[in-house]
Amino acid sequence: LKIEAENIEAEIDCKKCGTSWSVIRLIAVAATDRTKPFMLDIQAICLWLGVSKRQVYRIIRKHDVKKINGKFNVHQIMDARKKEFMAL
């Protein structure tokens, strides 16, 4: 399923299996699959990680996270945060 929802609490219906998924649950599933890019925009990244836009932009600049179609790979941002925490 491709998630294109402004409301993170929205429900998405799967036409193939007939089930409904919350956007937040789909994001959680996508976050666990490290074989595929997990692309979100800045606002969604802030909501997902519970951080400010300023913090996200700092990580993006410091760790050279590339922007693709207005979105960033959250796996890269999470890896960068982990490196920073480990360095403390």
Side-chain angles (χ1 to χ4, degrees), residues 1 12-21:
L1 295 171
I12 307 271
D13 296 320
C14 177
K15 293 174 184 163
K16 186 173 182 179
C17 69
T19 59
S20 291
W21 296 77

Side-chain angles (χ1 to χ4, degrees), residues 1-72:
L1 295 171
K2 186 173 181 179
I3 305 167
E4 292 288 341
E6 292 294 322
N7 180 1
I8 201 162
E9 296 173 353
E11 293 284 321
I12 307 271
D13 296 320
C14 177
K15 293 174 184 163
K16 186 173 182 179
C17 69
T19 59
S20 291
W21 296 77
S22 68
V23 171
I24 210 141
R25 178 66 182 136
L26 288 172
I27 292 171
V29 170
T32 62
D33 186 356
R34 302 286 294 200
T35 64
K36 295 182 179 90
F38 173 31
M39 308 301 287
L40 293 176
D41 63 24
I42 292 294
Q43 184 176 353
I45 292 167
C46 293
L47 288 170
W48 180 250
L49 298 178
V51 297
S52 69
K53 285 184 181 180
R54 182 178 175 183
Q55 289 172 304
V56 174
Y57 281 121
R58 183 191 59 74
I59 291 168
I60 288 167
R61 280 190 305 275
K62 183 176 179 182
H63 298 276
D64 196 31
V65 177
K66 301 292 182 218
K67 184 177 187 179
I68 300 171
N69 296 326
K71 297 178 181 172
F72 298 89

